C-alpha cells in the first residue's frame, strides 16, 4: 500500500474510495489508535513475550528479542485479537513505563527515560553539554517541601569530584566573572574578586580544619588621616576648633569627607569608628604656665558636643621649651551626617596658647 494511504505520524490506514470491506480498514485504524494513544507500557526492555498476556497489554521490546518478538527490537508489542501486533516507533514517540514509573522517549535509535534522554535543559535560555541546566530569569525561588513534615530545611549542594577541584558560585557582569564564593582548589572556603574575569585576588579564606579566618591580602578600611603642621593657630578664647589644616592628609573610601579649612570630617555611613587624635601646644614668650585640654567633638545635626571621655591634657610650664603633646584613642558610633573635629580650650592660666601640631585619624571598622 502506498505511503499516501496512511497518516503521517501514527501510520493509520485510510479508507480509500471504492474500497471493499471498509470496516476492516476502519477497525485496524481503531486498533492502532487504542494501542498507540495514552501508551502505558507494562514493561520496557523485555526480550521474550509473556506466556499469558492480557488483551491490550503493551511492551517495549528489548534488544536481541527472541521467539515471537524476534526481529522487533525497540518496537511496541501489543497483544490484540489473540496475536502479537508490532508498531515500529518514530523519533519523538513517548510512552509511560509502568515497571520503572518513568516516561520514555524514542530518539530514532533507542528508548531512554526522560532523565537519561534529556542531557541539557534550558528555561528561557540555551543549555549545552557543560551548562546542562540554564535558567534565564530575574529571580529564582526555592522553598522547602512538605514531603517530610516538620523539617522545613532547604539546602543546595555543590559536589566536586575531588578535594582539589572547585565548587563555587560565580557572580558575573556581561558574562565576565567578578566575584567567586566557595571552595577552589581545596576544601577551604574562599571569597575571590576579579576586575576582568581572569586575574583573581583571594580576599577571604576560612580554614576548613580550624575554622580560622584569614585575609591573604590584608584588611583595607575606610580611613582619613590629617596632619596640621607647625603653622600655628593661636588660642586666646576658652575653646576653639582647630581650623586651617594646611598639612598633608591621606584619605581612602567614600564614607568620609574632609574639609581642611574647617578641620572637619563628615561621616557618610553609620558605624563604629576608631578615632585617634594628637595635639601639641606651646605657650607664648614671657608666659609662665598655661595648661590646655584637647577634646573630640561631633556635630549631631543641631550642635557641636564633646565626645564623652575624649580629653587629652597638655601641660605647658615654660615658654621656649617646645610643645607638649597629648593623644586620645577611642571607639565612637557615628551616624550619617555627623561631623568630627578637634577643639582646644585653655584649662588653667590666662596666657596665650598656640597649637604647634595636630593629627586626626578616623577608621570605619
Amino acid at each position: 500500500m502506498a505511503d499516501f494511504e496512511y497518516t503521517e505520524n501514527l501510520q493509520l490506514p485510510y479508507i480509500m474510495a471504492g474500497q471493499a470491506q471498509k470496516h476492516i480498514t476502519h477497525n485496524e485504524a481503531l486498533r492502532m489508535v487504542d494501542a498507540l494513544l495514552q501508551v502505558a507500557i507494562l514493561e520496557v526492555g523485555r526480550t521474550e513475550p509473556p506466556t499469558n498476556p492480557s488483551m491490550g497489554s503493551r511492551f517495549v521490546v528489548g534488544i536481541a528479542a527472541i521467539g515471537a518478538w524476534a526481529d522487533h527490537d525497540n518496537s511496541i508489542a501489543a497483544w490484540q485479537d489473540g496475536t502479537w501486533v508490532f508498531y515500529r516507533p518514530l523519533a519523538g514517540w513517548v510512552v509511560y513505563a509502568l515497571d520503572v514509573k518513568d516516561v520514555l522517549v524514542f530518539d530514532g535509535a533507542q528508548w531512554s527515560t526522560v532523565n537519561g534522554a534529556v542531557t541539557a535543559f534550558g528555561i528561557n535560555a540555551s543549555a549545552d553539554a557543560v551548562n546542562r541546566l540554564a535558567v534565564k530569569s530575574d529571580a529564582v525561588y526555592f522553598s522547602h517541601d512538605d514531603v517530610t513534615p516538620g523539617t522545613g530545611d532547604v539546602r543546595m549542594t555543590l559536589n566536586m569530584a575531588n578535594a582539589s577541584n572547585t565548587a563555587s558560585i560565580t557572580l558575573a557582569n556581561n558574562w565576565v566573572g567578578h566575584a567567586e564564593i566557595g571552595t577552589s582548589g581545596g576544601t577551604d572556603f574562599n571569597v575571590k574578586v576579579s576586575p576582568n574575569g581572569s586575574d583573581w585576588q583571594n580576599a577571604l579564606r576560612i580554614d576548613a580544619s580550624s575554622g580560622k579566618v584569614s585575609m591573604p591580602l590584608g584588611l583595607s578600611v575606610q580611613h582619613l588621616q590629617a596632619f596640621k603642621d607647625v603653622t600655628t593657630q593661636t588660642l586666646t578664647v576658652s575653646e576653639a576648633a582647630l581650623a586651617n589644616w594646611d598639612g598633608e592628609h591621606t584619605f581612602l573610601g567614600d564614607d568620609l569627607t574632609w574639609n581642611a579649612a574647617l578641620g572637619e570630617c563628615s561621616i557618610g555611613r553609620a558605624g563604629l569608628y576608631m578615632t585617634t587624635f594628637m595635639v601639641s601646644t606651646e605657650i607664648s614668650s614671657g608666659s609662665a604656665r598655661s595648661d590646655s585640654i584637647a577634646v573630640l567633638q561631633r556635630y549631631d545635626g543641631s550642635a557641636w558636643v564633646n565626645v564623652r571621655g575624649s580629653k587629652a591634657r597638655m601641660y605647658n610650664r615654660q615658654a621656649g621649651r617646645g610643645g607638649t603633646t597629648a593623644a586620645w584613642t577611642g571607639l565612637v558610633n557615628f551616624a550619617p551626617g555627623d561631623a568630627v573635629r578637634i577643639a582646644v580650650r585653655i584649662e588653667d592660666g590666662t596666657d596665650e596658647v598656640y597649637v604647634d601640631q595636630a593629627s586626626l585619624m578616623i577608621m570605619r571598622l
Side-chain angles (χ1 to χ4, degrees):
M1 194 174 284
D3 289 344
F4 64 84
E5 296 177 343
Y6 293 84
T7 62
E8 288 80 3
N9 295 316
L10 293 181
Q11 297 293 297
L12 304 178
Y14 285 121
I15 297 176
M16 307 304 296
Q19 177 181 327
Q21 297 184 317
K22 294 179 175 63
H23 66 283
I24 296 177
T25 302
H26 176 67
N27 290 340
E28 180 184 356
L30 291 178
R31 187 169 60 181
M32 294 178 67
V33 169
D34 182 69
L36 299 179
L37 294 186
Q38 300 290 347
V39 187
I41 300 297
L42 292 180
E43 191 174 346
V44 59
R46 188 185 180 99
T47 57
E48 60 179 338
T51 55
N52 295 306
S54 58
M55 184 62 68
S57 59
R58 293 161 292 185
F59 301 82
V60 169
V61 180
I63 304 302
I66 61 175
W69 287 4
D71 300 325
H72 293 287
D73 296 0
N74 287 323
S75 294
I76 296 177
W79 183 253
Q80 296 176 321
D81 297 331
T83 187
W84 289 107
V85 180
F86 301 95
Y87 302 98
R88 178 68 61 180
L90 300 176
W93 281 25
V94 179
V95 301
Y96 181 79
L98 294 171
D99 58 334
V100 296
K101 294 181 173 59
D102 205 346
V103 176
L104 280 75
V105 180
F106 188 70
D107 62 7
Q110 63 181 3
W111 291 93
S112 301
T113 63
V114 169
N115 292 331
V118 180
T119 58
F121 184 70
I123 301 177
N124 197 30
S126 297
D128 53 41
V130 176
N131 303 290
R132 296 190 176 184
L133 174 61
V135 179
K136 184 179 180 182
S137 174
D138 291 336
V140 178
Y141 173 74
F142 294 92
S143 179
H144 71 90
D145 196 1
D146 293 327
V147 174
T148 307
T151 61
D153 296 333
V154 180
R155 287 188 176 91
M156 177 183 291
T157 301
L158 305 179
N159 181 50
M160 54 188 179
N162 299 293
S164 60
N165 291 126
T166 295
S168 65
I169 297 174
T170 301
L171 308 179
N173 176 50
N174 197 27
W175 308 111
V176 175
H178 292 290
E180 183 178 6
I181 304 171
T183 57
S184 179
T187 56
D188 294 344
F189 180 81
N190 297 278
V191 177
K192 297 182 178 181
V193 292
S194 172
N196 52 25
S198 300
D199 302 318
W200 291 88
Q201 303 291 336
N202 194 3
L204 179 70
R205 176 181 293 120
I206 303 178
D207 187 273
S209 300
S210 64
K212 293 182 178 179
V213 179
S214 62
M215 297 180 181
L217 302 178
L219 177 63
S220 177
V221 297
Q222 305 268 331
H223 82 275
L224 163 75
Q225 185 169 353
F227 173 74
K228 182 177 176 65
D229 64 15
V230 294
T231 302
T232 61
Q233 176 177 340
T234 302
L235 305 175
T236 58
V237 295
S238 60
E239 185 171 281
L242 297 186
N244 298 314
W245 288 60
D246 46 8
E248 297 179 354
H249 72 273
T250 58
F251 170 71
L252 288 176
D254 300 324
D255 295 342
L256 306 173
T257 304
W258 176 242
N259 187 320
L262 298 178
E264 297 176 6
C265 178
S266 298
I267 305 297
R269 183 186 300 183
L272 186 64
Y273 289 77
M274 174 73 76
T275 305
T276 300
F277 70 83
M278 181 277 296
V279 176
S280 177
T281 61
E282 292 188 44
I283 56 177
S284 61
S285 176
S287 299
R289 60 174 298 204
S290 189
D291 300 339
S292 56
I293 290 180
V295 296
L296 184 72
Q297 294 185 329
R298 60 183 288 267
Y299 187 76
D300 60 5
S302 59
W304 287 97
V305 295
N306 293 341
V307 174
R308 181 176 299 179
S310 63
K311 292 182 179 181
R313 181 183 293 271
M314 283 75 67
Y315 298 95
N316 299 111
R317 292 294 182 262
Q318 186 175 353
R321 291 293 182 89
T324 301
T325 302
W328 178 86
T329 299
L331 297 176
V332 184
N333 271 311
F334 289 117
D338 283 356
V340 186
R341 74 181 185 184
I342 300 173
V344 178
R345 69 173 183 266
I346 297 175
E347 183 73 8
D348 185 13
T350 59
D351 293 318
E352 196 175 76
V353 174
Y354 62 86
V355 176
D356 220 4
Q357 294 179 338
S359 67
L360 172 65
M361 185 175 72
I362 300 176
M363 294 190 302
R364 184 175 65 82
L365 303 181

